[in-house]
Amino acid sequence: MDTVEKRSHVIARLIRENADTTFAKELLLGELIEDELMSKDVTFDQKLQIINRVTELVKNQLPLTKEERFERIWEYKNFFSIRTIDLNTGKSDISWKKDELEGYCKTHGVTLEEFVSWKLGIDLVN
């Protein structure tokens, strides 16, 4: 895969994984195109090719499935946990910042209950 294809696919993947709404995609696409235009390691012609290819890829990409969104939340779960020590036993334990994790789940279009059930392997009835 050449430089243009690699960079195009990376940018399209970033947009797919980090933007669920059209508005979010537009903002992120604008930022990533600006970054690409400022890069010094490719020619201007390659920059234009990358922008055209990214536009094609983003137009045709499907949104993340619920399963993919759960996996994404699990991947970043450590942002929402803290290690605590029980002073009575001296044992270390992990505590969750529930409100922050719940907010993060909402940004991915799922509830905290759905996420926990997914992780525990519980199939919720809709």
Side-chain angles (χ1 to χ4, degrees):
M1 198 181 269
D2 70 335
T3 303
V4 170
E5 278 298 307
K6 282 181 187 175
R7 290 173 90 133
S8 301
H9 282 279
V10 168
I11 293 170
R13 181 181 49 80
L14 288 170
I15 291 170
R16 183 173 188 259
E17 291 177 354
N18 296 295
D20 281 340
T21 65
T22 302
F23 181 68
K25 284 183 181 184
E26 290 170 352
L27 288 177
L28 189 54
L29 180 61
E31 289 177 20
L32 294 170
I33 286 173
E34 183 179 348
D35 290 347
E36 197 59 44
L37 288 171
M38 297 297 164
S39 68
K40 306 260 188 241
D41 56 339
V42 292
T43 67
F44 183 71
D45 188 50
Q46 287 175 312
K47 291 175 185 181
L48 292 177
Q49 289 175 18
I50 291 167
I51 292 167
N52 286 333
R53 183 69 179 126
V54 167
T55 304
E56 289 174 27
L57 292 170
V58 170
K59 267 197 272 186
N60 297 323
Q61 68 187 192
L62 298 172
L64 292 174
T65 64
K66 199 170 222 179
E67 181 77 18
E68 289 170 321
R69 288 182 274 156
F70 287 144
E71 289 169 0
R72 186 102 175 119
I73 294 167
W74 183 250
E75 183 179 340
Y76 291 98
K77 69 186 177 306
N78 291 334
F79 291 139
F80 310 104
S81 65
I82 53 173
R83 187 164 294 281
T84 58
I85 298 174
D86 184 332
L87 296 176
N88 296 324
T89 64
K91 290 185 177 182
S92 178
D93 197 15
I94 294 177
S95 298
W96 295 97
K97 301 174 192 173
K98 182 183 175 214
D99 293 339
E100 291 179 29
L101 180 57
E102 188 170 29
Y104 188 66
C105 286
K106 286 180 183 177
T107 65
H108 285 281
V110 298
T111 66
L112 181 60
E113 181 184 2
E114 289 174 321
F115 172 68
V116 170
S117 296
W118 168 80
K119 191 59 195 161
L120 295 175
I122 302 169
D123 194 16
L124 291 178
V125 178
N126 291 332

